[in-house]
Amino acid sequence: MDTLTRYPDRARTDREDLDRVLDAATTCTFATVLDGQPWLVPMFYARDGDRILLHGSTGAGALRHVAAGSPGAVSVMLLDGIVVAEDLYHSSANYRSAVVRGTIEQLSGNEALDALNILSDNLIPDRSTEVPGPTGKQLAGTSALALTIRPGQWTVKERNAPPTRTDAPGPWAGVVPLRTVAERPVPAPWISDDAPLPASVLRLMAGYGSAAPAR
């Protein structure tokens, strides 16, 4: 595992810590170097055992570049709360973050189809069982990629604490917790307002601690 030099007390060293952070999010920043220049893009992802699955258009030159064996990295961050200290210097955030580095593998055939279904179901649970599978043309236009999680090629950091007490008390100090919640689903224009919600959408709402009652 990479060694953290800044705030090493926030480092988490167990592989289970990495899995928990990766499984708690659905989006990442993917980075590589293309023609000597940094290249970053936000992407959806899913962890599948010891792999991080990614996908994109086969027309994206950077994805063809990494699929040919170039190194890449995935970064994930979850913001859990704003830490309000008694001065600006000690104000901070409670968060979880992970970085995984390695070589990208291009998936093909049934393995690519399985990866795309896993990616879809990670975002909308079990949606792949409710809708038709992708067409041959859609599969041909989609690149399925995998980044293997290897020892020594990942880091995890976490802060989950109150603010540091200072010598100059201010008006208030504490933590403002943050979370993402699912609001009431909005049907597409051609879907009736009283149409029942599919099981996948109900699971999606439950996973985000929905603030809206299910219909």
Side-chain angles (χ1 to χ4, degrees):
M1 187 185 68
D2 290 340
T3 301
L4 296 176
T5 56
R6 182 169 173 79
Y7 297 118
D9 58 302
R10 298 181 187 178
R12 302 294 180 264
T13 58
D14 292 337
R15 171 58 195 273
E16 290 78 8
D17 296 319
L18 173 66
D19 291 348
R20 277 193 290 269
V21 173
L22 293 177
D23 293 347
T26 55
T27 60
C28 69
T29 299
F30 177 72
T32 188
V33 176
L34 182 62
D35 297 329
Q37 298 295 320
W39 184 85
L40 299 95
V41 64
M43 301 181 74
F44 290 110
Y45 77 93
R47 184 182 70 88
D48 178 37
D50 289 333
R51 304 185 304 173
I52 296 175
L53 303 177
L54 306 158
H55 80 297
S57 169
T58 54
L63 291 185
R64 291 199 301 270
H65 173 73
V66 297
S70 295
V74 164
S75 174
V76 174
M77 179 174 176
L78 296 139
L79 182 61
D80 297 319
I82 303 298
V83 179
V84 184
E86 293 169 304
D87 60 22
L88 297 181
Y89 181 83
H90 291 94
S91 293
S92 184
N94 283 341
Y95 65 92
R96 292 162 287 163
S97 68
V99 175
V100 181
R101 300 180 294 107
T103 302
I104 308 300
E105 174 190 2
Q106 175 83 54
L107 305 179
S108 60
N110 289 335
E111 191 175 24
L113 177 59
D114 289 344
L116 295 174
N117 284 337
I118 291 170
L119 280 160
S120 296
D121 290 345
N122 188 58
L123 187 64
I124 311 171
D126 298 326
R127 184 62 171 169
S128 66
T129 66
E130 298 176 341
V131 297
T135 65
K137 182 178 181 180
Q138 290 169 339
L139 285 175
T142 305
S143 181
L145 308 169
L147 169 61
T148 300
I149 303 170
R150 302 186 188 281
Q153 294 187 323
W154 56 267
T155 57
V156 174
K157 291 178 69 176
E158 179 178 354
R159 187 191 193 280
N160 182 19
T164 300
R165 189 167 188 175
T166 68
D167 294 330
W172 187 85
V175 176
V176 179
L178 301 176
R179 66 189 180 101
T180 299
V181 299
E183 297 290 349
R184 181 184 296 278
V186 179
W190 58 91
I191 300 296
S192 170
D193 287 341
D194 58 2
L197 295 174
S200 63
V201 174
L202 292 174
R203 292 190 187 99
L204 170 62
M205 296 171 65
Y208 279 98
S210 175
R215 289 186 285 106

